[in-house]
Amino acid sequence: MTSAAVRWGGRFALSLAAWAAVEGLVWLGGAGDPLASAPGRAAAGVFAGAWLFIAGFALLRLLLGLEWSPLGVARAVVEEAVRMRLAVAFIGLLIFILAALPAMQDAETPLRYRVQTFLSFGLGATATLLSLLTVFLSCASLSNEIQDHRIFTVMSKPIGRGPYLLGKWLGLMLLNALLLAVAGTLVAGFTWQLARETGVDTGDALSVRREVLTARESRAPEPADDLEKRALARLNQLKKDGSPLLVEMREDALYAQLVGQEKKQWLSLAPHGQETYVFDGLGDAKREGREIQVRYLLRASQAPPENTVTIALEINGRTGTLRTKVNDYQLMSVPPEAVDEDGRLTLRFINENRRHPKQTFETTLTFPPGDGLEAMYERGGFAGNFARGLAILWLKLGFLAMFGLAAATFLSFPVAALMTLAVFVVAAASGFLIDALAYFGDNERSETLKSATSAVRWTGLLLAEILGPYSRYAPAPKIVDGRYIPFGDVLGCAASIGLVWTGLSAAVAWLIFRARELARVQV
Amino acid sequence: MVANAQTPVIECRGLTKVFKDFWLRPRVTAVDGLDLVIEPHQVFGLLGPNGSGKSTTIKMILGLLFPTKGRIAIFGKLPTDVETKARIGYLPEESYLYRFLNARETLDFYGRIFNLPRSERNKRIDMLLEMVGLEGVQRRPVGEYSKGMQRRIGLAQALINDPDLLILDEPTTGLDPLGTRQIKDLILHLKQRGKTVLLCSHLLADVEDVCDRVTVLYGGRIRALGTIEELLSVSDSTQIETERLEPALVAKVRELIEKEHRKVHKVEAPRRKLEALFLEIVQKALSEGAATSGAKTGGAVAEFLAAGAAPAPADEGRQVIAGLVEAAKPAPPPEVSKPEPAAPAADARVLDALTAPKPEAKPASEEKPSPPKAVDRSVIDDLLKKDDPS
Ligand SMILES: Nc1ncnc2c1ncn2[C@@H]1O[C@H](COP(=O)(O)OP(=O)(O)O)[C@@H](O)[C@H]1O
Ligand SMILES: [Mg+2]
């Protein structure tokens, strides 16, 4: 006991000394802050990553040592991953990516973008690597065990097939929790470190704090009620006129397009035109006295000189002049007092230079639908947001793990892994697929081709729709943009992906596994 | 000591297993209408050539395969019953282990499935590791072990729960003579403690020494069934065992018998060997044209190999191997107080002593059938003592 403590203490001291030595060398090399250079960062990453992992693994082993037989099965999964150097390979690769990334970025780029790029790549690498690890490990750990007959011995012991599967899954979940914790700490740590660097100007440094290392609630403007009514009216008009559009397109697709057009219309300002946008649900910000950030992007149909236009903005009946850049996201700060008693903020944009109407640059300005115009306020800190994001990632990995196990109950390793990988890709891309498939095949002339493509479309859409929550719960873009991830998202993800999808996979896995002759060999 | 009116440990009725191919066409009838009853406290031998359906039967008993037809009851329950598994120990025909776990962790892994409390688990693991002689290498991953060492771990894992029923599928493959010897001792010991053992083998010596009842399978069917005595007693001859007679006296006896128009077949060979019976059964099955999906009896040496080659003197070869085995063994520890002929080197003699029916010859080894090593015995005793009244 004490000798082990001495041994580990020695190792820690030794690695600490080695790390300090590397940082010292880098410092002597004249790099200034050693952590700002790739080797210095790599050394810090290796030191921190290794010890975090060692400590976490020790903790995990304690947990896995609890007296419950599925945990015994879980322990074997974790030990396999660790001893087969899978976990080490993952952490090593991640540290390499994280250490190398900032070095590849141009120091002239605003710090905010550098931090965001780093966060986005770091989280993306973590999620992708861990997903792949989960796919392969879940498939391998079950199908190889069946294939090489190890399962004979286990299954002739008093453990049911359900608890056995549960043990496998728990092992994967706990391993993922450990790896996510290590990777998350590294990503967050490096991000903080990077954010300490000096920006290109004071505004830059401030915007890192205000727009990235934060968690902001966001409200989109409430669309005018008559948008859909107007779209429907236009559709009926087209039908009455016997428009050729209705021959070329399905009615629902045409309607969706019309709604889109109306919405775009609503978000557009013709020269000298104006539009009012109402943001609801800002009562909390008013009560807590938090500044409102209006984030917007104006697209100009014709480029104005210096990419700048002068327009007017009316808040609560008071009009002011707004000189703003176009074609780039802008942040405008509004005091919380501007929010009314019902928690509403009303903005009116007028596409006109009020003081010199003659000098108005004649162009249509458009807020692109989606995130072209929103009102935000700080709701929480970066760390909590980041942790909730990781929790969502973990739940998604849990589904992959269960699906992999389900596939491995009846498929050999390569087939099971391929199938799980395919599901992962479709799930991760489901948002994109739904958009892409919506109009797929509409332009086909021949009837046979039309029905064939529509079959493809519907199966694709069905799959993508089923797996939709997977891409809808994507925490990384929110974390990168400093957007608040409500705890409700974690719960929603736990319900839809965790309970429904993981549960269904588990049920399928259990049914197949229970009915399966484990000793049957099929060549 | 215990009434035999209990439910049989294993009961199979009309057990049939037909392996189907991918298109569900029947391809192999591995087990064909097997009726099998194994009573408690028996050591039951399942004999048969390769591919005769022994392992398939065992896998059905354990619920790893589902019968095509027929019923199985194990301790009166279905093979899929999870609770009864707590009373079973199983050594598969090959040792399939987690390569990355070491010996200790392997046994701990299996021990945990039985929900053995940690202290009990550790105690048993220590004893078992010592018993199978792996305590010195317990920290090495079992993937690095030799086949025989893996076999030993396999055996240890089958015993971790002190099972009431031990199923051994070809337990001695890959084991050195000492290990083989140990397995036989273990089986006999377990039997003494009232356990039931199902021993499945194609190695006749294994079975003959330890089994109470034997079934010989061929092509998935039972070809012979009975106690070793029944199967091996020869009904059409009489054997007279006397103290050693001089040749002159033998001639006189022979004369006397021949005067009665009886024939004297042989003067030595007190008993038929199981090997002869086995070969006879297989031969008979073959001549009847019985179907098997397993291995057929091998033919003569392939011509291209045999041509011109001088036949190797079989006995010489055997002696060379025996010599090698002797050389590889550690010198027997100096035995001071042990009267038994238990030197590990003298395997053949120990075996004879065990098999030969000599009730009065070995008073000292009545209780313990010739331990090869004093430590092993006590380890087994300790491990198994718990519910042993004696
Ligand atoms: N999973 C399987 N699929 C197809 N045939 C099998 C399978 N397992 C065993 N067999 C066949 O069943 C027969 C009996 O095999 P087995 O019970 O393993 O024999 P043994 O008596 O040597 O243990 C053999 O012909 C074997 O080829
Ligand atoms: Mg076999």
Side-chain angles (χ1 to χ4, degrees):
Chain A
M1 187 64 212
T2 37
S3 83
V6 168
R7 214 168 47 228
W8 281 104
R11 281 177 198 165
F12 185 80
L14 214 67
S15 59
L16 188 68
W19 175 40
V22 172
E23 300 298 348
L25 277 177
V26 174
W27 183 71
L28 282 178
D33 180 1
L35 283 181
S37 73
R41 229 188 306 259
V46 168
F47 177 78
W51 283 103
L52 272 170
F53 179 75
I54 289 168
F57 187 50
L59 221 87
L60 192 57
R61 271 192 165 160
L62 270 176
L63 182 70
L64 287 169
L66 295 178
E67 304 288 331
W68 186 45
S69 50
L71 280 183
V73 178
R75 175 162 182 190
V77 175
V78 174
E79 295 286 352
E80 175 164 27
V82 172
R83 295 191 192 180
M84 297 295 175
R85 316 281 186 295
L86 272 176
V88 175
F90 162 75
I91 293 178
L93 198 57
L94 189 75
I95 288 176
F96 176 78
I97 292 173
L98 295 185
L101 250 179
M104 294 191 304
Q105 292 183 328
D106 189 357
E108 299 299 302
T109 320
L111 185 60
R112 173 165 72 93
Y113 292 134
R114 276 187 281 154
V115 172
Q116 282 185 319
T117 312
F118 179 81
L119 252 180
S120 134
F121 271 81
L123 284 171
T126 302
T128 312
L129 288 177
L130 270 185
S131 299
L132 292 180
L133 187 85
T134 304
V135 168
F136 288 114
L137 202 58
S138 60
C139 294
S141 115
L142 184 58
S143 59
N144 285 348
E145 195 154 327
I146 297 173
Q147 196 108 31
D148 65 19
H149 300 175
R150 266 177 295 165
I151 195 121
F152 290 8
T153 332
V154 187
M155 281 291 119
S156 57
K157 306 255 181 281
I159 182 167
R161 297 194 179 180
Y164 174 78
L165 278 179
L166 175 68
K168 286 266 175 206
W169 184 73
L170 278 178
L172 292 164
M173 286 304 273
L174 291 172
L175 179 73
N176 274 335
L178 171 63
L179 294 181
L180 259 183
V182 174
T185 314
L186 288 177
V187 171
F190 279 133
T191 303
W192 269 310
Q193 197 279 326
L194 188 62
R196 273 183 26 230
E197 287 183 15
T198 40
V200 288
D201 52 43
T202 40
D204 186 20
L206 187 65
S207 69
V208 172
R209 163 71 200 85
R210 281 179 67 203
E211 296 173 54
V212 187
L213 298 186
T214 177
R216 297 170 296 169
E217 190 73 73
S218 152
R219 299 279 181 253
E222 297 286 312
D225 314 327
D226 53 354
L227 270 186
E228 287 174 4
K229 240 183 279 165
R230 281 209 301 254
L232 198 61
R234 274 179 65 193
L235 181 67
N236 289 333
Q237 188 60 44
L238 285 173
K239 273 204 251 180
K240 220 188 308 164
D241 298 349
S243 157
L245 275 176
L246 273 159
V247 186
E248 266 170 40
M249 269 175 104
R250 282 172 305 121
E251 194 177 311
D252 56 341
L254 182 59
Y255 174 69
Q257 264 196 9
L258 289 175
V259 172
Q261 277 176 13
E262 288 296 332
K263 187 156 187 190
K264 213 164 166 193
Q265 183 70 37
W266 169 63
L267 287 167
S268 290
L269 304 164
H272 307 286
Q274 51 173 285
E275 192 68 66
T276 304
Y277 304 103
V278 179
F279 301 87
D280 214 345
L282 295 172
D284 282 349
K286 184 183 173 72
R287 223 167 301 123
E288 292 166 22
R290 298 192 184 276
E291 101 177 321
I292 310 284
Q293 301 174 355
V294 176
R295 184 177 186 263
Y296 63 90
L297 168 64
L298 277 175
R299 290 220 181 280
S301 50
Q302 275 158 47
E306 290 172 32
N307 267 336
T308 307
V309 291
T310 305
I311 58 174
L313 171 63
E314 186 189 299
I315 304 178
N316 289 346
R318 285 179 51 193
T319 312
T321 299
L322 182 66
R323 259 182 76 74
T324 182
K325 283 222 184 281
V326 296
N327 299 334
D328 197 3
Y329 282 99
Q330 303 296 320
L331 206 63
M332 175 173 65
S333 159
V334 176
E337 293 77 42
V339 176
D340 71 13
E341 292 309 313
D342 300 329
R344 261 195 297 228
L345 175 69
T346 308
L347 301 181
R348 190 142 71 98
F349 284 92
I350 305 137
N351 186 2
E352 189 176 67
N353 188 335
R354 272 289 162 96
R355 253 177 265 158
H356 313 283
K358 289 273 161 54
Q359 285 174 27
T360 303
F361 184 78
E362 304 281 329
T363 178
T364 300
L365 295 173
T366 309
F367 301 103
D371 65 351
L373 176 63
E374 51 191 331
M376 308 173 100
Y377 65 92
E378 187 168 37
R379 168 91 185 266
F382 177 76
N385 216 35
F386 194 81
R388 285 188 295 274
L390 291 186
I392 288 178
L393 275 182
W394 186 62
L395 290 167
K396 289 166 75 172
L397 290 173
F399 163 66
L400 275 188
M402 201 31 129
F403 192 93
L405 287 176
T409 52
F410 68 105
L411 295 172
S412 67
F413 170 71
V415 188
L418 212 62
M419 180 167 153
T420 314
L421 207 57
V423 163
F424 165 60
V425 170
V426 172
S430 56
F432 166 76
L433 279 179
I434 288 172
D435 290 345
L437 287 171
Y439 302 111
F440 179 69
D442 271 352
N443 299 330
E444 289 303 341
R445 295 274 164 212
S446 107
E447 278 305 311
T448 27
L449 267 182
K450 212 165 190 165
S451 52
T453 49
S454 98
V456 171
R457 175 175 62 217
W458 286 114
T459 41
L461 272 180
L462 186 72
L463 246 170
E465 195 63 50
I466 285 172
L467 296 166
Y470 204 90
S471 64
R472 233 170 288 142
Y473 290 108
K478 290 195 172 172
I479 293 174
V480 170
D481 262 350
R483 287 172 193 277
Y484 185 72
I485 300 173
F487 193 68
D489 270 15
V490 182
L491 289 182
C493 184
S496 65
I497 293 177
L499 271 178
V500 178
W501 289 112
T502 310
L504 273 174
S505 308
V508 169
W510 180 69
L511 284 175
I512 297 176
F513 196 52
R514 208 178 50 136
R516 160 134 204 216
E517 290 188 287
L518 293 174
R520 207 195 53 211
V521 185
Q522 200 98 68
V523 184
Chain B
M1 41 186 151
V2 188
N4 241 15
Q6 298 168 296
T7 45
V9 175
I10 297 174
E11 190 174 6
C12 304
R13 295 282 171 218
L15 192 62
T16 301
K17 180 68 192 176
V18 181
F19 284 108
K20 305 214 166 77
D21 65 8
F22 183 77
W23 310 107
L24 301 181
R25 290 176 304 200
R27 194 150 60 172
V28 175
T29 305
V31 177
D32 192 0
L34 191 72
D35 290 316
L36 202 64
V37 177
I38 302 179
E39 301 289 347
H41 325 306
Q42 271 185 358
V43 177
F44 193 97
L46 203 53
L47 266 176
N50 298 134
S52 54
K54 305 181 297 288
S55 298
T56 305
T57 306
I58 286 180
K59 285 170 189 164
M60 284 191 281
I61 289 171
L62 288 166
L64 298 170
L65 288 172
F66 305 142
T68 312
K69 263 204 290 257
R71 279 185 298 114
I72 305 174
I74 174 158
F75 290 109
K77 301 270 177 51
L78 285 176
T80 45
D81 188 85
V82 174
E83 256 83 79
T84 44
K85 299 261 161 63
R87 302 175 63 185
I88 303 173
Y90 168 50
L91 172 65
E93 53 194 326
E94 269 172 59
S95 305
Y96 314 112
L97 302 160
Y98 291 98
R99 297 190 305 119
F100 47 87
L101 295 182
N102 64 37
R104 212 182 169 82
E105 290 166 333
T106 301
L107 295 182
D108 193 62
F109 171 77
Y110 292 114
R112 284 185 66 173
I113 298 183
F114 289 97
N115 287 318
L116 295 176
R118 187 188 306 270
S119 59
E120 177 67 23
R121 222 159 58 211
N122 281 332
K123 211 167 75 194
R124 287 189 186 190
I125 290 172
D126 284 337
M127 289 175 181
L128 283 170
L129 282 174
E130 196 187 340
M131 181 187 121
V132 299
L134 292 176
E135 72 270 50
V137 290
Q138 56 173 283
R139 299 286 174 196
R140 276 173 61 196
V142 298
E144 295 175 3
Y145 282 11
S146 77
K147 186 172 160 120
M149 289 159 85
Q150 296 193 353
R151 208 73 195 129
R152 285 161 184 261
I153 270 293
L155 179 67
Q157 101 15 72
L159 294 169
I160 189 95
N161 57 327
D162 188 12
D164 293 334
L165 167 65
L166 183 63
I167 300 180
L168 302 171
D169 195 349
E170 319 245 344
T172 55
T173 40
L175 283 184
D176 55 20
L178 264 169
T180 310
R181 175 77 251 156
Q182 248 188 333
I183 291 218
K184 287 184 197 171
D185 287 340
L186 173 79
I187 292 173
L188 289 172
H189 191 82
L190 288 173
K191 179 180 145 192
Q192 247 179 27
R193 288 189 52 235
K195 309 284 187 181
T196 310
V197 179
L198 172 54
L199 172 65
C200 160
S201 184
H202 60 254
L203 294 178
L204 308 167
D206 290 359
V207 175
E208 183 164 19
D209 293 347
V210 295
C211 289
D212 303 318
R213 284 178 76 80
V214 173
T215 282
V216 184
L217 288 185
Y218 183 87
R221 287 167 184 269
I222 294 180
R223 307 292 306 196
L225 171 73
T227 64
I228 290 270
E229 276 312 314
E230 284 162 16
L231 288 178
L232 299 186
S233 68
V234 184
S235 54
D236 58 356
S237 65
T238 303
Q239 181 181 325
I240 303 170
E241 195 171 315
T242 66
E243 63 185 282
R244 189 179 143 67
L245 306 177
E246 322 63 86
L249 192 49
V250 172
K252 250 194 225 168
V253 173
R254 187 186 285 267
E255 210 173 288
L256 186 68
I257 293 170
E258 277 167 357
K259 220 188 261 171
E260 297 289 324
H261 303 289
R262 300 296 173 85
K263 268 199 204 125
V264 177
H265 296 304
K266 238 188 251 168
V267 177
E268 65 288 90
R271 190 183 184 202
R272 185 161 73 160
K273 296 301 281 184
L274 181 57
E275 187 174 351
L277 174 78
F278 184 83
L279 288 176
E280 189 182 293
I281 287 172
V282 173
Q283 220 59 57
K284 184 154 168 277
L286 275 177
S287 70
E288 287 171 7
T292 177
S293 58
K296 297 275 185 335
T297 321
V301 176
E303 217 171 313
F304 76 96
L305 290 174
D315 260 63
E316 195 183 298
R318 202 170 296 155
Q319 266 157 22
V320 169
I321 294 171
L324 282 176
V325 170
E326 303 272 317
K329 273 179 220 156
E335 298 242 346
V336 189
S337 61
K338 289 282 171 208
E340 298 101 318
D347 263 339
R349 248 179 302 128
V350 173
L351 212 134
D352 284 347
L354 246 179
T355 38
K358 280 189 283 181
E360 80 292 346
K362 285 169 52 202
S365 58
E366 264 292 301
E367 291 277 315
K368 319 169 185 177
S370 23
K373 261 167 81 187
V375 249
D376 290 340
R377 171 88 298 121
S378 64
V379 171
I380 301 174
D381 280 342
D382 279 354
L383 180 74
L384 305 175
K385 198 155 40 191
K386 209 176 56 185
D387 47 345
D388 191 353
S390 68

